[in-house]
Amino acid sequence: MSTAARAKKTARVLGRVVVALLAVTTLAFSGYFWTALRLVKQNTNTTQILQVLEDIPNSPPVEDGAIDILLVGSDSRTDAQGRPLPADVLRKLRTEGTDTVNTDTIIVMRVPRNGGKASAISIPRDTYVPIAGYREDKINSAYGAVKFLTAERLQAEGVNDQQERERKSDEAGRKALVQAVQDLTGMRVDHYAEINLYGFYLLTEVIGGVQVCLKAGTSDPNSGANFRAGPQTISGGDALSFVRQRNMPGGDLGRIARQQVFMSQAMKQLLSAGTFTDPGKMSGLLDAVSKSVVVDQKLDLATLATQAQGLASGNVEFATIPVTSVDGRNERGQSIVTVDREAVKAWVAQQIGETPKPAPSPVAPTPGTPSRFGPEKLLSLDGAHAVAAARQDVPCVD
């Protein structure tokens, strides 16, 4: 055999060895990942919300070509079992105890059944909508207001067990929120996932912080936000302040832009920080999940994990519903975000590929086109892509 032939044969053998090693490594990691996922599932709290949703009147059809997951971030001062958070934890969260529950983050993640690209539609927390069983109010109050009214009614009816009142009133609050989202968007909610303030805090601690980038320095004494311009890593209380800051350009729309970028980057770091192969990080993740995450009983965490990977790679399009005003006032003098509900339905239908009915165009600020957040992108307030920053792989926001 000639020298050249021996070299070619050696190269082929080495190539096969490398491929085999890569395959074994991938399989080993995949096996560990799915084992870790099963552990997460065992530690996740569940809700029977899907059973409660079956009797919501005028719900959109179930079969609409996609799985729609309502992702909710609540400011609950209790853990996922309804136990009040200790004072030292509240201090870490830079907040105080309160009986109210607001849903500061409301996103519908749409996963096409045909394998198409997923999308995430954000709803501003101050969007003014009718709330079943309550009144017309900000959509973020739907959960808390109906929960409170239900708990009062149950107590008056003689339900003295606090945990039972918590469970039933939570379900009523979640139902009111889901109904408000469905009525506003025309989308059928198939699954529900909720994380509270404490879980958000713990998650950022587990992954060693989240890399963010600001176009300019900013501060807000109410939320505790105090950040310099440029790239930086934040976690814990700082991360909460970052996504909850209120005195910023565009109000709710500006805050949503931050939340979208932050979520994308957090998922990227969660899946790349060795979380599932590091026993310490895995233990921290399981602790965070058990204290803070609630999902419906039928939600497949494998599906959610797959979408998290898409989110991390920038393969999910974010968009925000069109609004008519970000500085409206209701009859009680509260600052609200106003929408044309028919225009919202038409816009959502267009986003998800349905043929929309003609509807009037929004008058004032609109969110612009959907944004695909990848490592090479920057995001401006209106959602438009800007040029990539030199040596910077984190989207910068206002």
Side-chain angles (χ1 to χ4, degrees):
M1 182 182 294
S2 68
T3 302
R6 283 197 299 271
K8 286 183 180 180
K9 183 177 180 181
T10 301
R12 283 198 300 271
V13 171
L14 284 173
R16 289 169 185 163
V17 170
V18 170
V19 170
L21 285 173
L22 285 173
V24 169
T25 302
T26 301
L27 286 172
F29 176 78
S30 298
Y32 193 93
F33 178 83
W34 294 116
T35 299
L37 194 63
R38 283 196 295 272
L39 288 173
V40 171
K41 186 173 183 179
Q42 290 169 7
N43 283 265
T44 303
N45 307 281
T46 59
T47 169
Q48 298 179 344
I49 184 65
L50 294 187
Q51 298 175 23
V52 178
L53 296 184
E54 291 176 355
D55 60 356
I56 287 183
N58 304 315
S59 288
V62 175
E63 294 300 329
D64 61 356
I67 300 171
D68 296 309
I69 307 170
L70 180 58
L71 306 176
V72 175
S74 82
D75 68 357
S76 173
R77 270 65 166 185
T78 65
D79 65 15
Q81 286 81 39
R83 296 172 298 207
L85 296 176
D88 63 319
V89 172
L90 292 175
R91 283 194 295 272
K92 291 178 181 177
L93 303 181
R94 299 178 184 174
T95 189
E96 67 288 331
T98 175
D99 292 332
T100 60
V101 178
N102 290 314
T103 47
D104 288 342
T105 303
I106 304 171
I107 298 175
V108 182
M109 176 80 78
R110 184 172 178 82
V111 186
R113 295 183 186 276
N114 63 6
K117 181 182 293 186
S119 59
I121 296 176
S122 292
I123 301 173
R125 51 166 278 164
D126 290 344
T127 303
Y128 207 58
V129 296
I131 298 171
Y134 186 44
R135 65 186 181 195
E136 194 165 8
D137 211 323
K138 301 178 184 182
I139 195 167
N140 77 320
S141 69
Y143 186 143
V146 174
K147 170 184 168 65
F148 176 78
L149 293 173
T150 303
E152 278 196 329
R153 175 179 57 78
L154 290 171
Q155 190 163 21
E157 292 173 354
V159 180
N160 296 319
D161 184 275
Q162 184 177 359
Q163 285 194 331
E164 184 179 358
R165 286 202 309 272
E166 279 290 318
R167 181 180 60 79
K168 289 185 176 180
S169 60
D170 274 334
E171 299 293 23
R174 290 173 182 134
K175 177 181 178 181
L177 174 60
V178 170
Q179 184 167 355
V181 169
Q182 289 189 165
D183 290 345
L184 176 64
T185 64
M187 301 172 74
R188 173 66 177 245
V189 173
D190 299 306
H191 293 290
Y192 181 95
E194 173 189 320
I195 183 170
N196 62 29
L197 280 178
Y198 193 29
F200 187 91
Y201 174 97
L202 292 173
L203 177 62
T204 61
E205 293 281 289
V206 167
I207 61 178
V210 175
Q211 298 174 36
V212 299
C213 180
L214 284 175
K215 295 177 182 176
T218 182
S219 66
D220 172 24
N222 292 323
S223 67
N226 186 14
F227 302 104
R228 58 178 171 78
Q232 53 207 286
T233 299
I234 58 175
S235 63
D238 284 338
L240 283 169
S241 297
F242 183 84
V243 297
R244 299 182 77 202
Q245 182 174 344
R246 294 187 66 85
N247 64 338
M248 53 190 303
D252 251 13
L253 298 187
R255 187 163 47 253
I256 283 175
R258 278 197 188 180
Q259 291 174 353
Q260 291 172 345
V261 173
F262 187 94
M263 182 182 295
S264 179
Q265 189 65 17
M267 288 302 101
K268 176 182 177 182
Q269 290 176 219
L270 174 66
L271 296 175
S272 63
T275 307
F276 300 101
T277 55
D278 182 314
K281 289 183 177 180
M282 191 63 202
S283 176
L285 177 62
L286 295 177
D287 181 54
V289 167
S290 67
K291 291 177 178 176
S292 63
V293 175
V294 178
V295 301
D296 71 78
Q297 291 175 318
K298 295 184 179 179
L299 177 59
D300 180 8
L301 290 185
T303 298
L304 201 56
T306 300
Q307 295 314 310
Q309 290 173 318
L311 196 63
S313 65
N315 209 26
V316 174
E317 284 191 341
F318 276 99
T320 305
I321 64 168
V323 307
T324 55
S325 173
V326 295
D327 56 2
R329 294 281 171 182
N330 64 11
E331 66 279 4
R332 298 182 295 281
Q334 295 172 307
S335 174
I336 60 173
V337 172
T338 59
V339 295
D340 180 320
R341 293 198 287 272
E342 290 306 312
V344 171
K345 282 191 176 70
W347 177 86
V348 169
Q350 187 174 37
Q351 294 298 309
I352 65 178
E354 296 179 357
T355 304
K357 296 183 295 185
S361 299
V363 177
T366 61
T369 56
S371 303
R372 179 184 181 275
F373 294 159
E376 76 286 2
K377 304 297 184 183
L378 287 179
L379 181 79
S380 66
L381 179 61
D382 64 359
H385 291 147
V387 295
R391 300 184 305 279
Q392 174 57 44
D393 64 354
V394 181
C396 284
V397 291
D398 290 296

